[in-house]
Amino acid sequence: MQKTFAFATFVAPVLATVLSFTAGAVSAETPRAQTIGRPVAAPAGFLDFCRRQPSECRASGQGAADDAQIQREASSLYWSNNFGGDGEAAVRSWRARAARQAASQAEIEYQSINETISGDSLDDVVGQTAEPLTISRAPQRLEMTEDAWRQVNTVNARANTRIAYTPDQTQYARPDYWSEAPAADAARGDCEDYVLTKRRELIASGVTPDALSVAIVRTPRGETHSVLIVATHDGDYVLDNINPRIVRWDQTGYRWVSRQAPGAVFDWVAVDAAG
């Protein structure tokens, strides 16, 4: 994966500059929802990370007792998606329903959910009629008070400052290796490492994992890039290592490719190119 340069590394961590939104400011307009397409396979680097560190891939309500299962699922998806087998079947069967369920719970609009996938209709792939799914719980979105915004901004600025952008090829002699930065002191990493570090630190500060989603985008220069989405009652906001400001997803200037279905870890969905 081609990586982007961390311009934010050179930005001073002045909270007053980064704190560009308050609860009152962002609630002035109705947020636009992303348009979601068909289920897709999770990035191989992300699955490999979850194989190695299952405790960092827990969903809301999961604990240490679930780590073995998380590791098994990540490993199964990693090998099947990368070496054939039932990788496509996993994406085109029960995972399709799981992604639809998660997206429905987060009030994200699905586009062409009955579209044809590789020549098979979704009904055929799922094995039953794609009836409306029951929403079993309310969407997990943060109430972004002034204190909450300060907390999110602090985590974002701290990671952008202490992690020095370093391509995976330079650091690991591999083109794509997802990892987290150490919990303290200076560190090196690329865009995915910023994302995973921010996710870990936000969860440690009390943010529910269900409100956080990893996403893949294309920059205006055509580079593949990763960002972290924070779902709030005022819309979805993006934590980025290129732009030090936290902005709404439709104000980034990126072309959206795929993301975790909200509230899910291994369920990834495509994002409409226009969204």
Side-chain angles (χ1 to χ4, degrees):
M1 173 183 302
Q2 187 177 9
K3 301 303 191 300
T4 53
F5 187 76
F7 296 110
T9 302
F10 297 94
V11 178
V14 180
L15 185 59
T17 301
V18 179
L19 188 57
S20 55
F21 295 95
T22 64
V26 297
S27 59
E29 61 178 286
T30 302
R32 186 160 68 93
Q34 285 186 335
T35 302
I36 300 301
R38 65 182 181 88
V40 297
F46 174 74
L47 294 174
D48 179 54
F49 169 75
C50 292
R51 288 195 307 157
R52 291 181 283 109
Q53 300 191 52
S55 64
E56 299 298 332
C57 296
R58 296 171 185 166
S60 180
Q62 291 186 312
D66 301 294
D67 286 353
Q69 175 58 36
I70 293 171
Q71 188 174 45
R72 283 194 296 270
E73 183 170 8
S75 182
S76 174
L77 289 169
Y78 176 83
W79 291 111
S80 63
N81 289 342
N82 283 281
F83 296 96
D86 62 350
E88 276 300 309
V91 172
R92 293 164 52 198
S93 58
W94 63 272
R95 192 158 300 286
R97 290 182 63 83
R100 289 179 65 223
Q101 174 75 69
S104 296
Q105 290 171 346
E107 297 176 340
I108 288 182
E109 176 189 356
Y110 252 83
Q111 177 184 10
S112 304
I113 192 60
N114 291 314
E115 70 179 351
T116 298
I117 302 177
S118 299
D120 297 322
S121 72
L122 183 63
D123 288 352
D124 293 335
V125 169
V126 172
Q128 56 183 299
T129 302
E131 73 280 358
L133 300 178
T134 300
I135 299 176
S136 59
R137 59 185 174 83
Q140 295 294 303
R141 291 184 174 272
L142 299 184
E143 183 65 45
M144 296 306 286
T145 62
E146 185 174 348
D147 286 343
W149 270 111
R150 185 177 294 107
Q151 175 189 32
V152 172
N153 272 290
T154 298
V155 168
N156 187 59
R158 182 170 57 223
N160 285 349
T161 300
R162 72 181 184 85
I163 300 174
Y165 179 83
T166 307
D168 287 338
Q169 193 65 51
T170 300
Q171 184 167 197
Y172 303 110
R174 298 173 57 174
D176 190 32
Y177 186 80
W178 293 42
S179 185
E180 293 173 320
D185 303 323
R188 298 187 299 164
D190 69 350
C191 56
E192 297 96 352
D193 305 336
Y194 287 89
V195 166
L196 296 174
T197 300
K198 293 172 186 179
R199 182 181 186 275
R200 178 192 66 201
E201 294 184 0
L202 285 171
I203 292 172
S205 70
V207 175
T208 173
D210 286 1
L212 304 173
S213 301
V214 181
I216 305 297
V217 300
R218 292 272 199 277
T219 70
R221 297 175 59 182
E223 299 164 317
T224 300
H225 182 50
S226 297
V227 296
L228 183 66
I229 298 173
V230 180
T232 82
H233 291 296
D234 299 303
D236 288 349
Y237 282 80
V238 174
L239 276 60
D240 196 355
N241 66 292
I242 294 179
N243 183 359
R245 297 175 64 246
I246 296 176
V247 299
R248 205 171 61 196
W249 72 272
D250 55 349
Q251 298 171 335
T252 60
Y254 294 144
R255 181 168 68 84
W256 291 79
V257 178
S258 63
R259 59 169 288 175
Q260 288 173 314
V265 174
F266 298 121
D267 297 324
W268 283 65
V269 287
V271 180
D272 183 79

